[in-house]
């Protein structure tokens, strides 16, 4: 930043390095200040309420921009400290080994899915029987006098039947679990040594949270990173391409806005066109669940012909379905979904603006989707999580007063299927009363749920910030492959100990060790939700599709899909000629000034202002990269809506901010078995 700020732009001074710095700043600017991304301080969460006593929206700006800021340890950073503690011989016997979830013990044999049973000696059987992830090795030794427990464990670990390491459960505050574990570890000197290390890191985090201004933040982060690297012997920043979740630093911040909003009757009325959209998503998720479970029943029948079926064997045998044919079926369903919507909307060829009323489409949607949502089979929307649909809606208005007088429009950004996006940790832990969200979850689900335990993180959407946090004590966890949760938590079952069976009506169910029974489709919930979440597309993927508005709700923005060679200005070497060429290209296609662009070679959508030479340069570079790497790829250009002058959310100084309204719709029908 400093060299960029010290640069005085001139025609002769626009050399390569200043332009690169300029583009870097522009990249960050659009990432943090143009899109509605929740990125720590740059995208604070604000909570509001529906208020039927009001007509429009009422903004209470509060004091300043931020009400609270929380600085969290990244889960990988606490894991790095746990690994160092785990290597301390003085604490090794306090670590509790656990059996791998898919390892089944029967009599004197061990079975791993897809492999023949292996014999198990009496000492190994006794040790394996105590590996519950809760009982430390020192207690196992006391329970098995005369057995060399560490030696037997080493053999079981080598066979990959047992994991013996200090594993911190996933969560927003993993350091709290680690501290609790350390305080119970019996070796006084070692315990104190590692508690001191944890204290040092927590003090460093507190200094980051208390820092004000760029210089203080940088100094506090630098000090924390140096302390972390010394204590853990681990680099303080992970490589960008590490194949893990996006949190690369030791700590990250999430904030809550000082502003609160009350949205009234006018906004609720304008959301009425969501109803047919939700009806159609029920059709989509029910069909996807039916397709997957039809194949899963075939897998079950093959396994059941050889004897009782446990969930571990069933899960692994279904992998070709879940990661193969299920994806193909989801893509086919999306095409059919778009075709059905095309017949509902009847968009005229070449149209740029299409207006429909709710009355125009309600009957057609009921005809094409309503009678085939799975209600006839008793399955509702398909699986338990599919009862949720999470819309991202933007209010396009010049101010709160404009909404009050009815001068506004709503814009549907995304419609996330089969997920309560507000259940993500980053939202729950920025709520002033997280218990309220848990109570509302109880209203949605009066009975316990079965929830598969997921890996701690994954590069596709799974991290400590996005992990679902609305889990109640009555809900069950099932560990399929990973044990990312607390092994001591009640109602946590291992997949090898869960039975799969078929009811008289043909439905597959899983039966847990305590007798609790759930539909087998819920075991596949995360895979199904991952497949379904972004399937909502109501227009064909043609070269151009119009803006579609139903009453006051824009359900699709105007979009252009163009081949990589179409932006012919991208290869122009002269900056001025490139800018003029981009303006001509924009005019040729009738593009608005402000757009978002998606390319197959870019990790995220990015903003382009065609009046800005800097953003034209960024677009041209991105197009050139795509032309090199994916010459058959297409760039997708979407109009920016709302536009910058339609930002109505303000702070206490009157500054306007981009924002979106996030809420959750839930299907009131509980899943009813056949």
């Amino acid at each position: 930043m400093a060299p960029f700020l010290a640069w005085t732009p001139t025609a002769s001074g626009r050399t390569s390095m200043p332009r690169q710095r300029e583009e870097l700043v522009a990249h960050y600017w659009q990432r943090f200040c143009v899109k509605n991304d929740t990125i720590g301080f740059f995208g604070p969460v604000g909570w509001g309420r529906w208020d039927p006593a009001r007509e429009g929206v009422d903004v209470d700006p509060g004091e300043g921009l931020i009400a609270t800021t929380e600085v969290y340890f990244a889960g990988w950073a606490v894991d790095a400290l746990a690994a160092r503690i785990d290597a301390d011989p003085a604490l090794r016997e306090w670590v509790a080994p656990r059996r791998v979830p898919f390892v089944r013990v029967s009599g004197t044999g061990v079975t791993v899915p897809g492999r023949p049973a292996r014999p198990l000696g009496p000492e190994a059987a006794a040790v394996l029987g105590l590996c519950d992830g809760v009982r430390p090795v020192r207690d196992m030794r006391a329970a098995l006098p005369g057995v060399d427990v560490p030696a037997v464990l080493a053999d079981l670990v080598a066979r990959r039947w047992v994991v013996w390491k200090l594993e911190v459960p996933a969560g927003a505050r993993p350091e709290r679990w680690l501290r609790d574990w350390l305080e119970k570890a019996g070796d006084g000197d070692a315990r104190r040594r590692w508690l001191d290390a944890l204290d040092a890191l927590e003090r460093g985090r507190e200094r980051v949270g208390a820092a004000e201004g760029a210089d203080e933040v940088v100094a506090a982060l630098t000090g924390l990173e140096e302390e972390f690297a010394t204590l853990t012997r681990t680099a303080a920043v992970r490589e960008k391409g590490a194949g893990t979740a996006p949190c690369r630093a030791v700590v990250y911040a999430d904030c809550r806005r000082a502003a609160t909003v009350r949205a009234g009757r006018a906004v609720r009325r304008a959301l009425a066109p969501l109803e047919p959209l939700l009806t159609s998503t029920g059709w989509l998720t029910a069909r996807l669940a039916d397709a997957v479970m039809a194949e899963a029943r075939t897998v079950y029948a093959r396994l059941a012909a050889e004897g009782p079926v446990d969930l571990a064997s069933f899960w692994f045998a279904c992998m070709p379905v879940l990661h193969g044919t299920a994806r193909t079926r989801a893509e086919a369903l999306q095409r059919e979904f778009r075709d059905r919507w095309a017949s509902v909307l009847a968009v005229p060829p070449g149209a740029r603006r299409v207006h429909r009323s709710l009355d125009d489409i309600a009957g057609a949607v009921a005809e094409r989707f309503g009678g085939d949502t799975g209600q006839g089979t008793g399955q509702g929307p398909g699986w338990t999580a599919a009862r949720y649909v999470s819309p991202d809606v933007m209010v396009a208005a010049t101010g709160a007063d404009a909404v009050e007088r009815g001068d506004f429009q709503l814009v549907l950004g995304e419609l996330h299927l089969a997920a309560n996006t507000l259940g993500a940790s980053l939202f729950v832990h920025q709520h002033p009363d997280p218990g309220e969200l848990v109570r509302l979850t109880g209203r949605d689900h009066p009975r316990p749920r079965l929830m598969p335990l997921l890996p701690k993180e994954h590069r596709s959407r799974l991290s400590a910030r996005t992990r679902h946090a609305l889990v109640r004590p009555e809900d069950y966890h099932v560990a399929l492959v990973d044990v990312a949760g607390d092994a001591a938590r009640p109602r946590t079952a291992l997949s090898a100990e869960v039975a799969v069976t078929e009811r008289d009506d043909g439905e597959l169910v899983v039966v847990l060790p305590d007798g609790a029974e759930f539909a087998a489709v819920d075991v596949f919930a995360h895979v199904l939700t991952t497949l379904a979440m972004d399937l909502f597309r109501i227009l064909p993927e043609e070269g151009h599709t119009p803006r579609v508005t139903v009453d006051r709700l824009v359900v699709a923005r105007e979009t252009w899909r163009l081949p990589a060679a179409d932006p012919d200005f991208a290869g122009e070497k002269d900056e001025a000629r490139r800018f003029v060429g981009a303006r001509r290209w924009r005019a040729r296609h009738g593009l608005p000034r402000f757009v978002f662009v998606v390319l197959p070679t870019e990790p995220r959508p990015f903003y382009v202002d065609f009046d800005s030479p800097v953003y034209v340069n960024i677009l041209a570079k991105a197009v050139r990269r795509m032309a090199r790497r994916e010459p058959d790829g297409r760039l997708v250009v979407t109009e920016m809506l709302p536009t910058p002058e339609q930002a109505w959310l303000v702070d206490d100084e009157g500054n306007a901010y981009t924002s979106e309204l996030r809420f959750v719709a839930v299907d009131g029908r509980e899943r009813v078995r056949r």
Side-chain angles (χ1 to χ4, degrees):
M1 286 295 296
F4 170 74
L5 294 174
W7 172 48
T8 301
T10 63
S12 60
R14 287 191 58 75
T15 56
S16 175
M17 184 54 71
R19 285 205 307 271
Q20 288 180 32
R21 292 172 180 147
E22 187 178 55
E23 290 168 16
L24 178 64
V25 172
H27 264 301
Y28 278 116
W29 193 285
Q30 67 91 23
R31 178 83 171 110
F32 295 146
C33 302
V34 179
K35 296 190 297 178
N36 293 303
D37 283 341
T38 306
I39 316 171
F41 175 84
F42 297 98
V45 174
W47 287 93
R49 300 259 177 198
W50 295 111
D51 187 351
R54 299 178 184 277
E55 180 64 17
V57 293
D58 178 67
V59 180
D60 178 359
E63 295 183 10
L65 179 65
I66 302 297
T68 61
T69 299
E70 296 279 344
V71 178
Y72 300 87
F73 281 114
W76 71 266
V78 176
D79 287 343
L81 180 61
R84 292 284 297 127
I85 298 171
D86 188 54
D88 188 336
L91 293 176
R92 189 69 176 146
E93 68 172 6
W94 293 92
V95 177
R98 64 166 176 84
R99 174 158 46 107
V100 173
F102 51 82
V103 170
R104 180 163 56 90
V105 181
S106 54
T108 58
V110 169
T111 304
V112 175
R115 297 180 183 177
R118 299 283 300 276
L120 193 66
E123 287 190 352
V127 171
L128 186 57
L130 298 181
C131 292
D132 56 6
V134 177
R135 197 188 319 258
V137 170
R138 68 187 313 274
D139 290 355
M140 296 171 65
R141 291 170 58 189
L144 298 172
V147 176
D148 188 350
V149 172
V152 175
L153 278 173
D155 179 64
L156 295 175
V157 170
R159 292 171 180 262
R160 299 184 180 180
W161 295 344
V162 165
V163 173
W164 182 17
K165 69 176 183 178
L166 182 58
E167 295 182 298
V168 181
R173 296 294 193 186
E175 75 283 0
R176 293 180 180 174
W177 185 94
L178 184 58
R179 177 175 293 279
D180 183 64
W181 183 88
L182 281 169
E183 288 176 344
K184 295 174 183 175
D187 187 287
D189 292 339
R191 178 178 65 240
R192 186 67 264 161
R193 181 168 62 252
W194 291 111
L195 280 171
D196 288 345
L198 183 56
D199 287 343
L201 293 180
E202 289 191 335
R203 286 193 298 271
R205 181 194 58 191
E206 290 166 4
R207 285 193 293 270
V208 173
E212 296 183 0
D215 291 342
E216 284 191 20
V217 171
V218 169
L221 279 172
T222 301
L224 173 60
E225 290 170 351
E226 291 173 351
E227 187 90 56
F228 174 83
T230 299
L231 291 171
T232 66
R233 301 178 187 174
T234 303
V237 178
R238 290 194 295 182
E239 293 296 326
K240 191 171 185 179
T244 52
C247 187
R248 298 169 56 211
V250 173
V251 292
Y252 64 91
D254 274 324
C255 306
R256 177 161 55 89
R257 276 289 297 259
T260 56
V261 174
R262 290 186 177 272
R265 298 183 298 269
V267 179
R268 286 292 293 269
R269 287 194 301 268
L271 288 170
L274 280 178
E275 184 64 32
L277 302 182
L278 301 179
T279 296
S280 67
T281 63
W283 174 91
L284 188 57
T285 54
R287 283 296 188 89
L288 179 59
D290 284 346
V292 170
M293 292 311 296
E295 295 197 54
R297 278 189 286 274
T298 301
V299 172
Y300 171 80
R302 173 168 54 82
L303 296 175
E306 301 175 1
V309 180
D310 63 83
L311 178 57
S313 300
F314 180 63
W315 171 262
F316 280 100
C318 284
M319 285 296 101
V321 175
L322 299 175
H323 298 288
T325 54
R327 187 174 301 279
T328 302
R329 184 56 180 147
E331 292 170 352
L333 279 169
Q334 186 182 52
R335 290 192 294 270
E336 184 179 354
F337 183 78
R338 288 198 304 256
D339 290 344
R340 292 190 178 214
W341 264 106
S343 66
V344 170
L345 295 172
V347 174
R352 297 196 60 174
R353 299 288 183 269
V354 174
H355 296 269
R356 297 286 183 264
S357 71
L358 179 56
D359 292 339
D360 289 338
I361 68 169
V365 169
E367 178 184 342
R368 290 164 178 79
F369 297 102
D372 199 12
T373 62
Q375 297 176 54
T377 64
Q379 290 194 42
W383 63 98
T384 299
R387 294 177 58 212
Y388 285 121
V389 182
S390 298
D392 298 343
V393 174
M394 278 142 284
V395 180
T398 55
D401 56 337
V403 182
E404 188 75 25
R405 62 177 182 268
D407 185 12
F408 72 97
Q409 195 174 38
L410 301 185
V411 181
L412 178 64
E414 294 181 285
L415 198 63
H416 303 288
L417 276 58
N420 175 359
T421 58
L422 296 186
S425 178
L426 73 99
F427 292 117
V428 172
H429 291 101
Q430 299 309 313
H431 192 282
D433 179 15
E436 180 183 10
L437 301 181
V438 176
R439 291 189 292 273
L440 291 171
T441 302
R443 188 184 66 181
D444 295 343
H445 302 283
R447 286 186 281 275
R449 294 171 293 174
L450 180 67
M451 309 181 77
L453 273 175
L454 305 175
K456 278 191 177 184
E457 59 178 33
H458 192 273
R459 58 181 174 270
S460 60
R461 297 177 172 154
L462 189 58
S463 68
R465 295 183 76 237
T466 59
R467 178 172 293 276
H468 189 76
L470 296 178
V471 181
R472 305 163 300 169
E474 61 265 34
D475 293 325
Y476 284 84
H477 274 159
V478 59
L480 298 167
V481 178
D482 300 280
V483 181
D486 189 345
R489 180 190 183 275
R491 298 197 171 193
T492 299
L494 304 183
S495 57
E497 297 178 346
V498 176
V500 183
T501 186
E502 187 174 18
R503 292 164 53 95
D504 293 340
D505 57 11
E507 182 180 20
L508 292 182
V509 296
V510 295
V511 182
L512 276 63
D514 68 355
E517 184 178 293
F518 295 91
V521 68
D522 282 340
V523 174
F524 304 138
H526 180 68
V527 176
L528 290 169
T529 292
T530 300
L531 288 171
M533 179 171 277
D534 296 326
L535 288 181
F536 181 81
R537 299 287 187 276
I538 63 173
L539 294 177
E541 293 191 347
E542 298 175 346
H544 170 265
T545 51
R547 181 193 300 178
V548 178
T549 306
V550 180
D551 291 346
R552 285 183 181 271
L553 177 64
V554 175
V555 296
R557 297 181 179 94
E558 189 174 12
T559 301
W560 296 259
R561 294 173 178 84
L562 305 167
D566 191 83
D568 48 10
F569 65 89
E572 173 61 57
K573 296 185 180 300
D574 181 79
E575 185 179 29
R577 291 180 182 276
R578 184 165 58 242
F579 179 69
V580 172
R583 303 272 290 182
R584 288 173 177 164
W585 179 77
R586 170 200 167 196
R588 185 164 72 244
H589 289 291
L591 304 177
R593 173 184 170 183
F594 304 114
V595 299
F596 287 103
V597 178
V598 176
L599 300 178
T601 50
E602 301 299 317
R604 300 180 182 92
F606 59 94
Y607 158 83
V608 175
D609 175 2
F610 282 105
D611 282 4
S612 165
V614 180
Y615 282 110
V616 168
N617 289 344
I618 290 173
L619 173 61
K621 285 187 176 181
V623 170
R624 293 199 297 270
R625 282 193 295 270
M626 181 178 71
R628 289 193 303 270
R629 299 174 189 173
E630 292 198 31
D632 296 329
R634 293 191 299 174
L635 66 158
V636 180
V637 183
T638 303
E639 64 173 327
M640 183 184 193
L641 191 72
T643 54
E645 66 272 10
Q646 293 174 318
W648 53 272
L649 181 64
V650 296
D651 61 17
D652 57 348
E653 296 181 354
N655 300 308
Y657 293 82
T658 180
S659 63
E660 67 183 1
L661 172 64
R662 309 196 76 169
F663 57 95
V664 183
V666 60
D667 190 330
R669 298 167 297 155
E670 277 200 271
R671 188 182 187 283
V672 181
R673 294 202 181 120
R674 296 184 180 93

